[in-house]
Amino acid sequence: MPILNKDMTLCISLSARPSNNGTRFHNHLYDQLDLNWIYKAFAPTDLAQAIAGVRGLGIRGCAVSMPYKEDVMALVDELDPSAKAIDSVNTIVNTDGHLKAYNTDYTAIEQLLKTNAVPPDYSVLVQGAGGMAKATVAALRDAGFSDVTVIARNETTGRALADQYGFRWRAALDGGTADMIINVTPIGMAGGPDVDSLSFPEEAIAAATVVFDVVALPAETPLIKAARAAGKKVITGAEVATIQALEQFVLYTGVRPTDDQVRAAEAFMRAQ
């Protein structure tokens, strides 16, 4: 990485619980590609002020994580169709003070469903109703899934999300099972109060064929560990993080790294 200098381009991430995933992934690619860029993670105390800083300081890119993916929409100038369609933002690109918002979470979920060859006739339980859940549910609908239930305690947001895509809503799991279970809540996330908790009960894991956890840190969440122990096919949040971060990198820099460069950055990210 080059020594800090006045010409260096800055990209940042905003999250209530920042991790080093994006920092390591992006900075490793900057180093491989000899770019005079740097990436830094922040936990904002005031979201509006943080976005004003992106604009006022000429920060090129800003990744947006839980719980800001919806609130940030009112603070940007333009929504790309990828964000507008699902009312959720995870990426902001600053071009001469004009802030355009995107959602690369959708792209990551879409790709992982396809590369893991998950049959669209599978029944699915999606636990959560926030910004990441919106990207997940939209990707499921667009991939042809029809038997999907959104599990969310908040009836207003949970039912609205389910209704938007023609799916069902339930307030609680209540013993429900499905072919694929997907956690899109912070349960199991490092640094949170539920870091050691299972987002789905053992019986739901046992009944599932595919277990998907979007939590990226740790890569092996309690849900993923339990699913591996039960011999289930797993899709991890670390995989989501790599794909969405790659698409962010391309939006920020205009450069698409080679597959080998991405694999090296991914390995560096996971070695922390």
Side-chain angles (χ1 to χ4, degrees), residues 115-267:
T115 57
N116 284 278
V118 183
D121 61 353
Y122 270 16
S123 57
V124 185
L125 292 173
V126 178
Q127 186 160 227
M132 188 66 181
K134 290 181 177 181
T136 301
V137 171
L140 286 166
R141 191 277 311 273
D142 292 347
F145 290 81
S146 58
D147 186 0
V148 177
T149 301
V150 175
I151 309 296
R153 286 174 295 180
N154 187 312
E155 180 175 359
T156 301
T157 57
R159 188 183 292 278
L161 175 59
D163 288 349
Q164 181 178 355
Y165 294 98
F167 298 145
R168 295 178 299 277
W169 164 81
R170 287 166 58 181
L173 192 60
D174 292 333
T177 61
D179 299 316
M180 177 164 62
I181 56 176
I182 308 178
N183 174 48
V184 284
T185 75
I187 296 173
M189 182 181 293
D194 302 312
V195 62
D196 296 319
S197 300
L198 271 177
S199 49
F200 282 90
E202 294 284 356
E203 55 267 28
I205 298 170
T209 301
V210 179
V211 176
F212 191 167
D213 196 341
V214 304
V215 171
L217 194 68
E220 295 290 312
T221 62
L223 177 62
I224 293 298
K225 287 180 179 179
R228 289 197 196 280
K232 305 299 179 177
K233 183 178 183 66
V234 301
I235 306 174
T236 70
E239 296 173 88
V240 176
T242 296
I243 297 171
Q244 67 86 16
L246 170 61
E247 297 305 319
Q248 287 177 331
F249 182 90
V250 175
L251 286 169
Y252 299 155
T253 67
V255 176
R256 183 167 291 277
T258 66
D259 290 345
D260 286 345
Q261 289 168 335
V262 173
R263 281 192 289 269
E266 181 180 25

Side-chain angles (χ1 to χ4, degrees), residues 1-2 24-37 246 249 255-269:
M1 184 181 298
R24 292 174 67 87
F25 183 86
H26 286 268
N27 283 323
H28 194 273
L29 283 175
Y30 299 156
D31 187 57
Q32 288 188 85
L33 294 164
D34 197 28
L35 296 176
N36 189 27
W37 291 49
L246 170 61
F249 182 90
V255 176
R256 183 167 291 277
T258 66
D259 290 345
D260 286 345
Q261 289 168 335
V262 173
R263 281 192 289 269
E266 181 180 25
F268 184 75
M269 176 183 73

